[in-house]
Amino acid sequence: EGETHSRRIRLFKNKPGLGFDDVATLKPEQEIELPKPNPGEDFQEYPLKTTAFGSVYHLTIHFALTHGAEHCKVHYIAFSGDFMEPFR
């Protein structure tokens, strides 16, 4: 399963309708390099840039590369955070 793990994800904020051609040319709000998971490792947490992800209404996640497999397998994605009142 380690070969099908994504090696890089690219996050795009508030751009509904993106296709593969679009994500290949646009700059993401954040790009995260994912190491190959260790055997028995169930999950990893990756912090996001807080300033880049305020007021998100749509999130596109592009799984850009794998660790050798032709296709990527995604088993689980979770998001966590705390609500903050907008600053005025």
Side-chain angles (χ1 to χ4, degrees), residues 27-64:
K27 183 178 180 202
E29 271 66 37
Q30 186 167 352
E31 206 166 338
I32 301 172
E33 294 291 327
L34 306 172
K36 195 171 183 179
N38 296 319
E41 204 170 59
D42 291 336
F43 69 93
Q44 288 284 347
E45 290 186 31
Y46 298 96
L48 300 182
K49 298 176 187 172
T50 307
T51 55
F53 292 97
S55 65
V56 174
Y57 65 85
H58 187 277
L59 183 67
T60 301
I61 305 172
H62 176 225
F63 297 89

Side-chain angles (χ1 to χ4, degrees), residues 3-24:
E3 301 297 312
T4 61
H5 186 269
S6 185
R7 194 169 82 194
R8 179 182 307 140
I9 59 172
R10 304 173 77 225
L11 304 171
F12 299 89
K13 175 181 100 171
N14 301 339
K15 295 180 176 76
L18 290 181
F20 286 106
D21 291 338
D22 302 318
V23 297

Side-chain angles (χ1 to χ4, degrees), residues 54-82:
S55 65
V56 174
Y57 65 85
H58 187 277
L59 183 67
T60 301
I61 305 172
H62 176 225
F63 297 89
L65 301 168
T66 66
H67 285 280
E70 185 177 342
H71 300 285
C72 176
K73 274 189 182 178
V74 178
H75 295 275
Y76 182 78
I77 298 175
F79 297 94
S80 66
D82 297 314

